[in-house]
Amino acid sequence: MRTLALAALALMLTAPAPAHAQAPENPVQENIQIGLSTDRVSITTDFSGADLTIFGALDNADPLVSRQGRYDVIVVLEGPPRPVVVRKKTRVLGMWINTQSETFLNVPVSYSLATSRALQDITYPENYRQMALGSENVTVTPYDRNGDAATITEFTAALRERKRASGLYSERIGGVQFLSQNLFRASLHLAPNVPVGTHRARAFLFKNGAFIKENSAQLVITKAGFEQSIYRYAQTNGLAYGIFAVLLAFLTGWLGRLIFRKD
Amino acid sequence: MGIYLPIAEMSVNMVMLLAMGAAVGFLSGMFGVGGGFLITPLLIFYNIPPAIAVATGANQVVASSVSGALVHLKKGTIDFKLGTVLLAGGVVGSTVGVWVFSLLRSVGQLDLFVSLLYVVLLGTVGALMLVESVRAIQRARGTLPGTAPKATQHNWIHRLPWKMRFRTSKLFVSVIPVIVIGVFIGFLASIMGVGGGFIMVPALIYLLKVPTNVVVGTSLFQIIFTAAYTTIVHSATNQTVDVVLAFLLMVGGVAGAQYGARAGQKLRGEQLRALLALLVLAVAMRLGFDLFVPPSSPYSLSSLSGL
């Protein structure tokens, strides 16, 4: 398990709040910032999952609200969207066979969330639903929009449940910690089977249970040189790749016979 | 020790895979089969996506059969002519198999079809072999009266046209059943990720009456090329061969195979067949169990390409 300390962003922590010339009568709006020191994570041969730390800061935080602990932060790392087929097994002639299926578009491959407090203590469930926040509420679009509503609900729930069971959707309560009144740190987990692609880190700021502001940053997860070369070669030159795999097998079989022969 | 598989896109335990390869290699060396029928289900139990397990299993079979066939090459127990005719059928069967494989994968019934094939074929072959070998053991102990069936009996297969002479096997037989067996094995090889040795060996012995000492070598020779062809076709059409995974299995496998071959020489033929039969039946029952026992969750996810 490695820790990828992905950034300390301490911008504007010491600087005074900038004056908002265009709206002088309004109290200054809080803002949330996150930043990644690297926008790229490489999966190497020994990759077995990793912890990802994202640092962030609040701008223009009200010191009074801060002291009462009424600011809450939720950080989400969302994987690239891909189509997914959910299949359901039912009993046919005593055997469990895939009989029904439902296709969903734009399903985030992974979804990992960290919060500063238990979700129910931050805001109301309907707010989470509206914002599609939390592994229960991830937006998924059924391919067949005119399908039976009950079936779609059932398969949507199954999709989220299977994703959680595989560790690709996870929630870490208390994964966001305030280091000072303005500075916070979010720890997220990258599963060993984390998908490659462009991930999006999003940070949500809540004040007294109300959503204030969101900010996001991109993180590209790629296979490291060797793994990437093999993958790309298999995709683009499947035939040559197959021939190579067979030659490797011949060589291994022949060498194995020479080295380990027992007769 | 973890290692990341570039095609399966997951991290696995390297020592575990080497041990898996070695255990299967030991058994395959002992019984003279490729070991594909063990490695593919093991990979699926280990959460490797079935499509990748099948194609990668075929790649591993190439290595273990090369290793095994070299032993028989030295002893001169390979019938190249018979092997080549079987191979011609194998290429046709394999091509059809890969096509059916893609089709089943797209409709989501690949897992079911592969499991059913395994259960039915392994169950049948295992049961037949067990009965035959137990009778042979009883005969050897003199507890069963009667004589061994005569290998010279002619059946309907020997009345088919287009006869061809296979000198090493001392055989004069029609090419039709030989090609049919080849097609069937090639088809199974591409769908199940197996070399088909566990079917080829009894088919050659009981249907074509090939002498037992030539059967294993010829079967291994033929399987090398069927499995190689299957690997290449899977790689070109489905991109499902994980060469890192295959290499780990091969290294364990070829080492295990040579030790297994030596262990096999210490056992008598019918004892060996009885043990293989039990092993085959155990795999069939384990897979059958999964088909009939309610799964922990009735739902499963797959990407559109089926991986």
CSV table of all heavy atoms in Angstrom, one decimal, chain B residues 139-174:
chain,number,residue,atom,x,y,z
B,139,ARG,N,-9.4,-56.7,-12.3
B,139,ARG,CA,-8.9,-57.8,-13.2
B,139,ARG,C,-7.5,-58.1,-12.8
B,139,ARG,O,-7.1,-59.3,-12.7
B,139,ARG,CB,-8.9,-57.4,-14.7
B,139,ARG,CG,-10.1,-57.9,-15.4
B,139,ARG,CD,-9.9,-57.9,-16.9
B,139,ARG,NE,-9.5,-56.6,-17.4
B,139,ARG,CZ,-10.3,-55.6,-17.7
B,139,ARG,NH1,-11.6,-55.8,-17.5
B,139,ARG,NH2,-9.9,-54.5,-18.1
B,140,ALA,N,-6.6,-57.1,-12.6
B,140,ALA,CA,-5.2,-57.3,-12.2
B,140,ALA,C,-5.1,-58.0,-10.9
B,140,ALA,O,-4.2,-58.8,-10.7
B,140,ALA,CB,-4.5,-55.9,-12.2
B,141,ARG,N,-6.1,-57.8,-10.0
B,141,ARG,CA,-6.0,-58.5,-8.7
B,141,ARG,C,-6.7,-59.9,-8.8
B,141,ARG,O,-6.7,-60.6,-7.9
B,141,ARG,CB,-6.8,-57.7,-7.7
B,141,ARG,CG,-6.0,-56.5,-7.3
B,141,ARG,CD,-6.6,-55.8,-6.1
B,141,ARG,NE,-5.9,-54.5,-5.8
B,141,ARG,CZ,-6.6,-53.5,-5.3
B,141,ARG,NH1,-7.8,-53.5,-5.0
B,141,ARG,NH2,-5.9,-52.4,-5.0
B,142,GLY,N,-7.3,-60.1,-10.0
B,142,GLY,CA,-8.0,-61.4,-10.2
B,142,GLY,C,-9.3,-61.5,-9.5
B,142,GLY,O,-9.8,-62.6,-9.3
B,143,THR,N,-9.9,-60.4,-9.0
B,143,THR,CA,-11.2,-60.5,-8.3
B,143,THR,C,-12.3,-60.4,-9.3
B,143,THR,O,-13.5,-60.7,-8.9
B,143,THR,CB,-11.3,-59.3,-7.3
B,143,THR,OG1,-11.0,-58.1,-8.0
B,143,THR,CG2,-10.4,-59.5,-6.1
B,144,LEU,N,-12.0,-60.1,-10.6
B,144,LEU,CA,-13.1,-60.0,-11.6
B,144,LEU,C,-12.9,-61.0,-12.6
B,144,LEU,O,-11.8,-61.0,-13.3
B,144,LEU,CB,-13.1,-58.6,-12.2
B,144,LEU,CG,-14.4,-58.3,-13.0
B,144,LEU,CD1,-15.5,-57.9,-12.1
B,144,LEU,CD2,-14.1,-57.2,-14.0
B,145,PRO,N,-13.8,-62.0,-12.8
B,145,PRO,CA,-13.6,-63.0,-13.8
B,145,PRO,C,-13.8,-62.4,-15.2
B,145,PRO,O,-14.3,-61.3,-15.3
B,145,PRO,CB,-14.6,-64.0,-13.5
B,145,PRO,CG,-15.7,-63.3,-12.8
B,145,PRO,CD,-15.0,-62.1,-12.0
B,146,GLY,N,-13.4,-63.2,-16.2
B,146,GLY,CA,-13.6,-62.7,-17.6
B,146,GLY,C,-12.3,-62.2,-18.2
B,146,GLY,O,-11.3,-62.1,-17.5
B,147,THR,N,-12.4,-61.9,-19.4
B,147,THR,CA,-11.2,-61.5,-20.2
B,147,THR,C,-11.2,-60.0,-20.5
B,147,THR,O,-12.3,-59.4,-20.6
B,147,THR,CB,-11.0,-62.3,-21.5
B,147,THR,OG1,-12.3,-62.1,-22.2
B,147,THR,CG2,-10.7,-63.7,-21.2
B,148,ALA,N,-10.1,-59.4,-20.8
B,148,ALA,CA,-10.0,-58.0,-21.2
B,148,ALA,C,-10.7,-57.9,-22.6
B,148,ALA,O,-10.6,-58.8,-23.4
B,148,ALA,CB,-8.6,-57.5,-21.3
B,149,PRO,N,-11.4,-56.8,-22.9
B,149,PRO,CA,-11.9,-56.7,-24.2
B,149,PRO,C,-10.8,-56.7,-25.3
B,149,PRO,O,-9.8,-56.1,-25.1
B,149,PRO,CB,-12.6,-55.3,-24.2
B,149,PRO,CG,-12.1,-54.6,-23.0
B,149,PRO,CD,-11.6,-55.6,-22.1
B,150,LYS,N,-11.1,-57.3,-26.4
B,150,LYS,CA,-10.1,-57.5,-27.4
B,150,LYS,C,-9.9,-56.2,-28.2
B,150,LYS,O,-10.9,-55.6,-28.7
B,150,LYS,CB,-10.4,-58.6,-28.4
B,150,LYS,CG,-10.2,-60.0,-27.8
B,150,LYS,CD,-9.1,-60.7,-28.5
B,150,LYS,CE,-8.5,-61.8,-27.7
B,150,LYS,NZ,-9.5,-62.8,-27.3
B,151,ALA,N,-8.7,-55.7,-28.3
B,151,ALA,CA,-8.5,-54.4,-29.1
B,151,ALA,C,-8.6,-54.6,-30.6
B,151,ALA,O,-8.6,-53.7,-31.3
B,151,ALA,CB,-7.1,-53.8,-28.7
B,152,THR,N,-8.7,-55.9,-31.0
B,152,THR,CA,-8.7,-56.1,-32.4
B,152,THR,C,-10.1,-56.1,-33.0
B,152,THR,O,-10.3,-56.2,-34.2
B,152,THR,CB,-8.0,-57.5,-32.7
B,152,THR,OG1,-8.6,-58.4,-31.9
B,152,THR,CG2,-6.5,-57.4,-32.5
B,153,GLN,N,-11.1,-56.0,-32.1
B,153,GLN,CA,-12.5,-56.0,-32.6
B,153,GLN,C,-12.7,-54.9,-33.6
B,153,GLN,O,-12.3,-53.8,-33.3
B,153,GLN,CB,-13.4,-55.8,-31.4
B,153,GLN,CG,-13.7,-57.1,-30.7
B,153,GLN,CD,-14.5,-56.9,-29.4
B,153,GLN,OE1,-14.7,-55.7,-29.0
B,153,GLN,NE2,-15.0,-57.9,-28.8
B,154,HIS,N,-13.4,-55.2,-34.7
B,154,HIS,CA,-13.7,-54.1,-35.6
B,154,HIS,C,-15.1,-53.6,-35.4
B,154,HIS,O,-16.0,-54.3,-35.2
B,154,HIS,CB,-13.5,-54.7,-37.1
B,154,HIS,CG,-12.1,-54.7,-37.5
B,154,HIS,ND1,-11.7,-54.1,-38.6
B,154,HIS,CD2,-11.0,-55.3,-37.0
B,154,HIS,CE1,-10.4,-54.2,-38.8
B,154,HIS,NE2,-9.9,-55.0,-37.7
B,155,ASN,N,-15.2,-52.2,-35.4
B,155,ASN,CA,-16.5,-51.7,-35.2
B,155,ASN,C,-16.9,-50.9,-36.5
B,155,ASN,O,-16.1,-50.9,-37.5
B,155,ASN,CB,-16.5,-50.8,-34.0
B,155,ASN,CG,-15.4,-49.7,-34.0
B,155,ASN,OD1,-14.8,-49.4,-35.1
B,155,ASN,ND2,-15.1,-49.2,-32.9
B,156,TRP,N,-18.0,-50.2,-36.5
B,156,TRP,CA,-18.5,-49.5,-37.7
B,156,TRP,C,-17.5,-48.5,-38.2
B,156,TRP,O,-17.4,-48.2,-39.4
B,156,TRP,CB,-19.8,-48.8,-37.4
B,156,TRP,CG,-19.8,-47.8,-36.3
B,156,TRP,CD1,-19.9,-48.1,-34.9
B,156,TRP,CD2,-19.5,-46.4,-36.4
B,156,TRP,NE1,-19.8,-46.9,-34.2
B,156,TRP,CE2,-19.5,-45.9,-35.1
B,156,TRP,CE3,-19.2,-45.6,-37.5
B,156,TRP,CZ2,-19.3,-44.5,-34.8
B,156,TRP,CZ3,-19.0,-44.2,-37.2
B,156,TRP,CH2,-19.0,-43.7,-35.9
B,157,ILE,N,-16.7,-47.9,-37.3
B,157,ILE,CA,-15.7,-46.9,-37.8
B,157,ILE,C,-14.7,-47.4,-38.8
B,157,ILE,O,-14.3,-46.8,-39.8
B,157,ILE,CB,-14.9,-46.3,-36.6
B,157,ILE,CG1,-15.8,-45.4,-35.8
B,157,ILE,CG2,-13.6,-45.6,-37.0
B,157,ILE,CD1,-15.3,-44.9,-34.5
B,158,HIS,N,-14.4,-48.7,-38.7
B,158,HIS,CA,-13.5,-49.3,-39.6
B,158,HIS,C,-14.1,-49.7,-41.0
B,158,HIS,O,-13.4,-50.2,-41.8
B,158,HIS,CB,-12.8,-50.5,-39.0
B,158,HIS,CG,-11.9,-50.1,-37.8
B,158,HIS,ND1,-12.4,-49.8,-36.6
B,158,HIS,CD2,-10.6,-49.9,-37.8
B,158,HIS,CE1,-11.4,-49.4,-35.8
B,158,HIS,NE2,-10.3,-49.5,-36.5
B,159,ARG,N,-15.4,-49.4,-41.1
B,159,ARG,CA,-16.0,-49.7,-42.4
B,159,ARG,C,-16.2,-48.5,-43.3
B,159,ARG,O,-16.7,-48.5,-44.4
B,159,ARG,CB,-17.4,-50.4,-42.2
B,159,ARG,CG,-17.3,-51.8,-41.6
B,159,ARG,CD,-18.6,-52.6,-41.8
B,159,ARG,NE,-19.6,-52.1,-40.9
B,159,ARG,CZ,-19.7,-52.5,-39.6
B,159,ARG,NH1,-18.9,-53.4,-39.1
B,159,ARG,NH2,-20.7,-52.1,-38.9
B,160,LEU,N,-15.8,-47.3,-42.7
B,160,LEU,CA,-15.9,-46.0,-43.5
B,160,LEU,C,-14.9,-46.0,-44.6
B,160,LEU,O,-13.8,-46.6,-44.6
B,160,LEU,CB,-15.7,-44.8,-42.6
B,160,LEU,CG,-16.8,-44.7,-41.5
B,160,LEU,CD1,-16.4,-43.6,-40.5
B,160,LEU,CD2,-18.1,-44.3,-42.2
B,161,PRO,N,-15.2,-45.2,-45.7
B,161,PRO,CA,-14.3,-45.1,-46.9
B,161,PRO,C,-13.1,-44.2,-46.6
B,161,PRO,O,-12.9,-43.7,-45.5
B,161,PRO,CB,-15.2,-44.5,-47.9
B,161,PRO,CG,-16.2,-43.7,-47.2
B,161,PRO,CD,-16.5,-44.4,-45.9
B,162,TRP,N,-12.3,-43.9,-47.7
B,162,TRP,CA,-11.1,-43.1,-47.6
B,162,TRP,C,-10.1,-43.5,-46.6
B,162,TRP,O,-9.8,-42.8,-45.6
B,162,TRP,CB,-11.5,-41.6,-47.4
B,162,TRP,CG,-12.3,-41.0,-48.6
B,162,TRP,CD1,-12.0,-41.1,-49.9
B,162,TRP,CD2,-13.5,-40.3,-48.5
B,162,TRP,NE1,-12.9,-40.5,-50.7
B,162,TRP,CE2,-13.9,-40.0,-49.8
B,162,TRP,CE3,-14.3,-39.9,-47.5
B,162,TRP,CZ2,-15.0,-39.3,-50.1
B,162,TRP,CZ3,-15.4,-39.2,-47.8
B,162,TRP,CH2,-15.8,-38.9,-49.1
B,163,LYS,N,-9.7,-44.7,-46.7
B,163,LYS,CA,-8.8,-45.3,-45.7
B,163,LYS,C,-7.4,-44.7,-45.9
B,163,LYS,O,-7.0,-44.4,-47.0
B,163,LYS,CB,-8.8,-46.8,-45.7
B,163,LYS,CG,-10.1,-47.3,-45.2
B,163,LYS,CD,-10.0,-48.7,-44.6
B,163,LYS,CE,-11.3,-49.1,-43.9
B,163,LYS,NZ,-11.1,-50.2,-43.1
B,164,MET,N,-6.7,-44.6,-44.8
B,164,MET,CA,-5.3,-44.1,-44.9
B,164,MET,C,-4.4,-44.9,-43.9
B,164,MET,O,-4.9,-45.4,-42.9
B,164,MET,CB,-5.3,-42.6,-44.4
B,164,MET,CG,-4.2,-41.8,-44.9
B,164,MET,SD,-4.3,-40.2,-44.1
B,164,MET,CE,-4.3,-39.1,-45.5
B,165,ARG,N,-3.2,-45.1,-44.3
B,165,ARG,CA,-2.3,-45.9,-43.5
B,165,ARG,C,-1.5,-45.0,-42.5
B,165,ARG,O,-0.8,-44.1,-43.0
B,165,ARG,CB,-1.4,-46.8,-44.3
B,165,ARG,CG,-0.6,-47.9,-43.5
B,165,ARG,CD,0.0,-48.8,-44.5
B,165,ARG,NE,-0.9,-49.6,-45.3
B,165,ARG,CZ,-1.6,-50.7,-44.9
B,165,ARG,NH1,-1.5,-51.0,-43.6
B,165,ARG,NH2,-2.4,-51.3,-45.7
B,166,PHE,N,-1.5,-45.3,-41.2
B,166,PHE,CA,-0.7,-44.6,-40.3
B,166,PHE,C,0.3,-45.6,-39.7
B,166,PHE,O,0.0,-46.4,-38.9
B,166,PHE,CB,-1.5,-44.0,-39.2
B,166,PHE,CG,-2.6,-43.0,-39.6
B,166,PHE,CD1,-3.9,-43.4,-39.8
B,166,PHE,CD2,-2.2,-41.7,-40.0
B,166,PHE,CE1,-4.8,-42.5,-40.3
B,166,PHE,CE2,-3.2,-40.8,-40.4
B,166,PHE,CZ,-4.5,-41.2,-40.6
B,167,ARG,N,1.6,-45.4,-40.2
B,167,ARG,CA,2.6,-46.5,-39.9
B,167,ARG,C,2.9,-46.5,-38.4
B,167,ARG,O,3.0,-47.6,-37.8
B,167,ARG,CB,3.9,-46.2,-40.7
B,167,ARG,CG,3.6,-46.5,-42.1
B,167,ARG,CD,4.9,-46.6,-42.9
B,167,ARG,NE,4.6,-46.6,-44.4
B,167,ARG,CZ,4.0,-47.6,-45.0
B,167,ARG,NH1,3.8,-48.8,-44.4
B,167,ARG,NH2,3.7,-47.5,-46.3
B,168,THR,N,3.2,-45.4,-37.8
B,168,THR,CA,3.7,-45.4,-36.4
B,168,THR,C,2.6,-46.0,-35.5
B,168,THR,O,2.9,-46.7,-34.5
B,168,THR,CB,4.0,-44.0,-35.9
B,168,THR,OG1,4.7,-43.3,-36.9
B,168,THR,CG2,4.8,-44.0,-34.6
B,169,SER,N,1.3,-45.8,-35.8
B,169,SER,CA,0.3,-46.3,-35.0
B,169,SER,C,-0.2,-47.7,-35.4
B,169,SER,O,-1.1,-48.3,-34.8
B,169,SER,CB,-1.0,-45.4,-35.1
B,169,SER,OG,-0.6,-44.1,-34.8
B,170,LYS,N,0.5,-48.2,-36.5
B,170,LYS,CA,0.1,-49.5,-37.1
B,170,LYS,C,-1.4,-49.6,-37.3
B,170,LYS,O,-2.1,-50.5,-36.9
B,170,LYS,CB,0.5,-50.7,-36.2
B,170,LYS,CG,2.0,-50.7,-35.9
B,170,LYS,CD,2.4,-51.9,-35.0
B,170,LYS,CE,3.8,-51.9,-34.6
B,170,LYS,NZ,4.0,-50.9,-33.5
B,171,LEU,N,-1.9,-48.6,-38.1
B,171,LEU,CA,-3.3,-48.4,-38.2
B,171,LEU,C,-3.7,-48.2,-39.7
B,171,LEU,O,-2.9,-47.5,-40.4
B,171,LEU,CB,-3.7,-47.1,-37.5
B,171,LEU,CG,-5.1,-47.0,-36.8
B,171,LEU,CD1,-5.2,-48.1,-35.7
B,171,LEU,CD2,-5.2,-45.7,-36.2
B,172,PHE,N,-4.8,-48.8,-40.2
B,172,PHE,CA,-5.3,-48.5,-41.5
B,172,PHE,C,-6.7,-48.2,-41.3
B,172,PHE,O,-7.6,-49.0,-41.1
B,172,PHE,CB,-5.1,-49.8,-42.4
B,172,PHE,CG,-5.5,-49.6,-43.8
B,172,PHE,CD1,-4.9,-48.6,-44.6
B,172,PHE,CD2,-6.5,-50.4,-44.4
B,172,PHE,CE1,-5.2,-48.4,-45.9
B,172,PHE,CE2,-6.9,-50.2,-45.7
B,172,PHE,CZ,-6.2,-49.2,-46.5
B,173,VAL,N,-7.0,-46.9,-41.4
B,173,VAL,CA,-8.4,-46.4,-41.0
B,173,VAL,C,-8.8,-45.3,-41.8
B,173,VAL,O,-8.0,-44.6,-42.4
B,173,VAL,CB,-8.4,-46.1,-39.5
B,173,VAL,CG1,-7.6,-44.8,-39.2
B,173,VAL,CG2,-9.8,-46.0,-38.9
B,174,SER,N,-10.2,-45.1,-41.9
B,174,SER,CA,-10.7,-44.0,-42.7
B,174,SER,C,-10.3,-42.6,-42.1
B,174,SER,O,-10.2,-42.5,-40.9
B,174,SER,CB,-12.2,-44.1,-42.7
B,174,SER,OG,-12.8,-42.9,-43.0
